[in-house]
Amino acid sequence: MTTGQRIRELRRERKWTQAELGERAGINFSNLNRYEQDKLKPGPTILSRLSKAFGVPAEELTGSPTDPSAVLQDEELLACFQQVQVL
């Protein structure tokens, strides 16, 4: 799922219009339309505003995993990262 699709999905779950989300996030609703259609990629500032408006972490909007085990296939390297987290 793309970032734009995720933004649209979260907005529709809350039954918000693009204008309502724009007001809540301080973003022009016409730009929201471009984000939802994946014609424009939101930068870090916009992602932060959207995540606050939705009450979700920015990673949920971008689909970027925050858990290293989701992307690391090397078990030895994963074990090293887990040991570092414990420290």
Side-chain angles (χ1 to χ4, degrees):
M1 179 176 289
T2 67
T3 300
Q5 291 169 336
R6 186 68 182 133
I7 292 169
R8 182 182 310 118
E9 178 182 73
L10 289 170
R11 179 179 60 79
R12 288 180 175 171
E13 283 176 4
R14 288 157 176 77
K15 296 181 173 58
W16 295 344
T17 65
Q18 288 177 340
E20 288 172 321
L21 175 56
E23 285 180 30
R24 292 172 187 264
I27 301 169
N28 183 306
F29 78 92
S30 64
N31 283 341
L32 281 171
N33 185 40
R34 291 183 190 116
Y35 298 140
E36 288 186 5
Q37 293 180 8
D38 291 311
K39 291 182 178 178
L40 186 63
K41 285 200 165 264
T45 302
I46 299 300
L47 286 173
S48 176
R49 289 179 184 180
L50 289 168
S51 68
K52 286 179 186 176
F54 287 129
V56 300
E59 292 82 13
E60 189 171 329
L61 295 175
T62 61
S64 300
T66 56
D67 180 12
S69 63
V71 292
L72 290 177
Q73 300 299 317
D74 184 330
E75 291 182 21
E76 185 177 341
L77 183 58
L78 178 58
C80 289
F81 277 116
Q82 290 170 337
Q83 288 174 355
V84 168
Q85 284 180 334
V86 171
L87 299 175

